[in-house]
Amino acid sequence: MAEQRDLYEVLGLQKGASDDEIKKAYRKLAKKYHPDLNPGDKTAEEKMKEVNGAYEVLSDADKKARYDQYGFAGIDPNYAGGGAGGFGGFQDFDLGDIFGSMFGGGFGGGFGGQQTRQNGPRKGENLRVSLTLTFEEAVFGCEKSVSITRNEACKDCGGSGAKAGTTPETCPVCRGMGQVKSTQRTPFGVFSTNAPCQNCHGTGKIIKEPCPTCKGEGKTRKTRTIQVKIPAGIDDGQTISLRGEGNGGSNGGPAGDLYVTVRVKEHKMFQRDGQDIILEMPISFAQAALGATLTVPTVDGKVQYDLPEGTQTGTVFRLRGSGVPNINGRGRGDQYVKVTVEVPRNLSAEQKELLRKFDDDIDDCYSEKGGFFKKMKDLFNKD
């Protein structure tokens, strides 16, 4: 059987850590290894399972006390504690443990594995929805409503599945375990297998008078409107988790969670690059040559910017603090404005003539810069 890591070590804690320390360590690791933040990462998925397992024990006062005193033997009745010492004496082996160690638990359902009560508390399934935001809503945050249909505990029977005034009875065959165990003696030991109880269909209980509302299921389908607070700075594709807003649990188990994935519409002018906003802004030739006070749109409104004379097309200037707020509340990005000199079209004959005279007069201005025009002039005049 694979060696199990110390549960405190899994959470990066010392033995005897307080409840607050355990909660803080769990939250930190959950953020690091959560599947939504590590899509397709099998290593992170396994780490998350290990962290969840450790937290399940250490967050429970009774389990924690037993683990502190007896180790894994205090929380797992099937834990063998050390070497098996060979096959002598027809020791009792469980095929679920053997195949679970070899294949990562893939055979747990067929061979039983750890003997858990099938009618014990179970967390409800998680739900997922998408929510579309405008560019500004994503930048500044907002509150939105989403409509979901989920399973909830039947109010008429309190989730028991039994008609009001009656209660489910414990299955006499499996004694409420939901599973029946059979053993087989072999030369290598006594092997055990678990299978769902046929008498109660694995539920561990018998309902003689089903609730007419939920027909014995203990759950009903309800459509709910959920308010979702969108944090400022959220980006396209990010997901918000709402704990307990998913499908209801079974047998007193907690409800699942609701995951809201955000989709952000494209803006007509702005583009986003992380926490920064990019804007391409056209200017006239006169503004570029003479300089001008530009009125620049930002997500906060219009601002004034003094464009220096002689600005070239493609020049980029920065407006500090006019970008997207950090989703963790730590400052904002910047807005970068790229200016592009627009060439006028449909000039009149008079305008064309004035432009030709201007071009003749300004030839020396180009030459002084020693740029492309000067190089061309020198090339053709060298003879």
Side-chain angles (χ1 to χ4, degrees):
M1 188 177 295
E3 182 180 355
Q4 293 174 285
R5 289 179 62 197
D6 178 77
L7 300 185
Y8 288 101
E9 180 184 338
V10 171
L11 297 181
L13 298 171
Q14 296 293 325
K15 186 175 181 180
S18 67
D19 291 344
D20 286 341
E21 290 174 328
I22 292 171
K23 288 180 181 179
K24 288 179 181 178
Y26 172 73
R27 289 172 181 169
K28 180 179 179 181
L29 292 172
K31 290 180 181 178
K32 181 177 181 181
Y33 295 120
H34 198 283
D36 288 335
L37 302 178
N38 302 275
D41 189 335
K42 294 297 182 183
T43 300
E45 182 178 341
E46 292 302 318
K47 288 283 188 182
M48 191 68 246
K49 290 180 181 178
E50 189 177 32
V51 168
N52 280 336
Y55 182 70
E56 181 182 357
V57 173
L58 298 182
S59 63
D60 184 297
D62 291 336
K63 291 181 181 178
K64 180 173 180 288
R66 294 198 302 270
Y67 177 74
D68 287 345
Q69 186 171 4
Y70 303 110
F72 287 104
I75 58 173
D76 183 359
N78 296 320
Y79 182 69
F87 293 109
F90 295 101
Q91 297 180 20
D92 189 2
F93 295 95
D94 192 303
L95 289 180
D97 287 337
I98 295 174
F99 284 97
S101 298
M102 294 173 61
F103 301 103
F107 292 84
F111 294 100
Q114 298 179 355
Q115 295 183 32
T116 56
R117 293 176 64 91
Q118 293 300 299
N119 64 336
R122 295 182 186 176
K123 183 179 179 180
E125 295 179 347
N126 298 328
L127 298 178
R128 296 179 181 274
V129 295
S130 293
L131 184 61
T132 301
L133 305 177
T134 65
F135 190 88
E136 288 82 1
E137 287 174 335
V139 170
F140 295 112
C142 60
E143 187 167 313
K144 288 284 189 176
S145 299
V146 294
S147 180
I148 61 171
T149 300
R150 66 189 182 191
N151 294 330
E152 296 183 358
C154 176
K155 291 184 178 180
D156 290 341
C157 66
S160 70
K163 183 179 179 180
T166 68
T167 57
E169 298 179 4
T170 301
C171 175
V173 176
C174 65
R175 295 184 177 87
M177 294 296 295
Q179 294 182 347
V180 290
K181 183 176 182 178
S182 62
T183 58
Q184 181 180 6
R185 187 177 293 273
T186 74
F188 300 103
V190 177
F191 290 89
S192 302
T193 58
N194 292 338
C197 176
Q198 296 300 312
N199 188 52
C200 64
H201 305 290
T203 63
K205 56 187 179 182
I206 302 295
I207 300 176
K208 293 185 176 181
E209 296 185 71
C211 170
T213 302
C214 64
K215 296 178 175 58
E217 294 294 327
K219 297 177 182 178
T220 55
R221 297 286 285 173
K222 296 290 184 180
T223 298
R224 302 292 186 188
T225 298
I226 309 297
Q227 296 300 120
V228 184
K229 291 185 178 180
I230 308 297
I234 197 168
D235 205 351
D236 183 73
Q238 291 185 322
T239 299
I240 299 170
S241 175
L242 300 179
R243 179 164 294 183
E245 295 292 357
N247 278 331
S250 301
N251 303 315
D257 302 328
L258 173 63
Y259 293 99
V260 182
T261 300
V262 168
R263 301 300 177 194
V264 182
K265 294 179 181 178
E266 292 187 0
H267 197 276
K268 293 181 179 179
M269 294 187 298
F270 301 125
Q271 291 182 332
R272 180 171 175 174
D273 183 11
Q275 304 306 122
D276 297 324
I277 293 177
I278 312 298
L279 171 68
E280 289 194 12
M281 184 171 182
I283 59 174
S284 68
F285 175 78
Q287 288 174 318
L290 304 176
T293 298
L294 301 180
T295 299
V296 181
T298 73
V299 290
D300 298 306
K302 297 178 180 179
V303 299
Q304 302 297 313
Y305 181 80
D306 292 328
L307 188 73
E309 63 179 50
T311 296
Q312 303 299 306
T313 189
T315 298
V316 177
F317 60 86
R318 177 169 62 178
L319 301 177
R320 295 182 182 274
S322 294
V324 179
N326 189 298
I327 197 169
N328 295 319
R330 300 170 185 168
R332 292 179 63 172
D334 303 321
Q335 177 169 316
Y336 291 89
V337 182
K338 180 180 180 181
V339 296
T340 303
V341 178
E342 282 198 335
V343 178
R345 299 179 180 180
N346 302 319
L347 297 175
S348 66
E350 182 181 359
Q351 289 171 330
K352 291 179 181 179
E353 183 60 29
L354 290 172
L355 192 56
R356 291 190 185 96
K357 290 182 179 180
F358 169 77
D359 189 52
D360 291 338
D361 292 340
I362 206 172
D363 185 57
D364 290 339
C365 294
Y366 288 124
S367 301
E368 287 177 3
K369 297 296 181 182
F372 176 79
F373 292 102
K374 183 178 186 302
K375 291 178 181 179
M376 291 293 293
K377 183 177 182 180
D378 292 343
L379 177 66
F380 287 104
N381 293 336
K382 64 181 181 179
D383 296 332

